[in-house]
Amino acid sequence: MAEIYPVKIIARIHSDFPSKFGIPRQSGLVEKLQSMIVFEPEYRNPQALRGLEDFSHIWLIWQFSQAVRDDWSPTVRPPKLGGNIRMGVFATRSPFRPNAIGLSSVKLERIEKHPQYGHVLWVSGADLMDGTPILDIKPYLPYTDSHPQATGGFTDELHLNPLKVCIPEVWKEKIPSGQLEGLMGVLEHDPRPSYQHDPERVYGFFFGNMEISFTVCDNVLTVCRVEVKSK
């Protein structure tokens, strides 16, 4: 029988993604995305952050809170392979794992004292849904964590070809300036499932308090509607 160890939630992240659709497939892909990490009351001791401000990047260890299961499969279908080819779960970053734990490297922008939440962390490049539980935070160490000659297995054959994004002015003016660059980065990296390429289909997802609708044809993503939702 497998041993069970208790794990505590130390913080939660606040991002512009209220649902899974649209979230970048890896951390660091969209550097302009800003997120705030709020510690749980038990861990709002500023002494726990002493020295962290000297690091440019940090590791987030977190839980796939929307993918917790009682069972697991030794193989999964990575979306980037079209959803038809199986790979061993340990050769992927699929959320459907024996333990639903994720790992993300993000840039630490600043540590700020919040009037309600105590000291919070502002980070960029996160690939986490709003409210995702954070289990631990560790500093990124470039002298040991960076491996320029590393190989990426089957992902080496997957080339990132950003889409050209067209946002008509009538919709662009509805997007707050502080969120425009982050949204552009999300759209450039094609938030559609890898196996869907219908040029007539209208896709949509929520970003902050906006519902973004778009189509993709001939490698051009065109935003066809931005609807601002009341908070």
Side-chain angles (χ1 to χ4, degrees):
M1 182 176 178
E3 293 184 87
I4 297 177
Y5 294 90
V7 177
K8 295 182 179 180
I9 296 172
I10 67 164
R12 292 183 184 272
I13 196 166
H14 294 272
S15 72
D16 284 319
F17 297 102
S19 60
K20 292 183 290 185
F21 192 100
I23 297 177
R25 294 178 176 88
Q26 301 294 340
S27 60
L29 276 180
V30 184
E31 297 179 355
K32 297 298 183 180
L33 284 176
Q34 300 285 309
S35 305
M36 180 175 69
I37 296 174
V38 176
F39 290 91
E40 295 292 286
E42 181 182 355
Y43 300 101
R44 291 179 187 173
N45 187 330
Q47 295 302 314
L49 303 176
R50 183 188 296 179
L52 189 63
E53 70 278 3
D54 295 328
F55 293 89
S56 65
H57 293 72
I58 57 177
W59 289 106
L60 303 180
I61 301 171
W62 47 279
Q63 183 183 50
F64 286 100
S65 53
Q66 301 297 308
V68 177
R69 294 181 172 183
D70 292 330
D71 58 353
W72 71 288
S73 172
T75 62
V76 295
R77 295 187 177 97
K80 271 297 184 182
L81 294 180
N84 298 315
I85 300 175
R86 284 193 171 273
M87 289 287 178
V89 65
F90 300 130
T92 75
R93 296 189 177 185
S94 166
F96 306 114
R97 330 181 61 76
N99 292 303
I101 294 175
L103 178 68
S104 296
S105 173
V106 299
K107 184 178 180 182
L108 177 62
E109 297 290 347
R110 65 186 183 277
I111 301 174
E112 182 177 276
K113 187 172 183 181
H114 191 279
Q116 181 179 355
Y117 304 126
H119 285 76
V120 301
L121 308 182
W122 281 96
V123 300
S124 59
D127 56 341
L128 282 70
M129 190 171 70
D130 184 57
T132 294
I134 306 295
L135 306 179
D136 203 359
I137 295 170
K138 298 178 184 292
Y140 176 95
L141 306 179
Y143 78 93
T144 185
D145 291 348
S146 177
H147 304 280
Q149 305 304 317
T151 58
F154 67 87
T155 66
D156 284 341
E157 301 175 6
L158 305 177
H159 301 290
L160 294 175
N161 296 312
L163 298 175
K164 179 181 178 181
V165 177
C166 175
I167 305 180
E169 200 62 36
V170 65
W171 304 125
K172 184 177 292 186
E173 63 186 19
K174 292 179 175 289
I175 304 170
S177 58
Q179 292 177 286
L180 180 58
E181 283 189 299
L183 176 60
M184 288 287 289
V186 170
L187 297 175
E188 287 174 359
H189 285 91
D190 196 350
R192 298 175 300 166
S194 298
Y195 49 84
Q196 293 184 2
H197 297 92
D198 182 358
E200 302 297 324
R201 180 168 179 172
V202 176
Y203 300 87
F205 69 101
F206 285 93
F207 186 79
N209 67 327
M210 300 171 289
E211 184 175 8
I212 311 296
S213 300
F214 65 92
T215 59
V216 180
C217 183
D218 295 331
N219 218 42
V220 177
L221 184 151
T222 302
V223 172
C224 52
R225 184 175 178 81
V226 175
E227 185 175 353
V228 179
K229 304 291 185 178
S230 58
K231 294 184 179 180

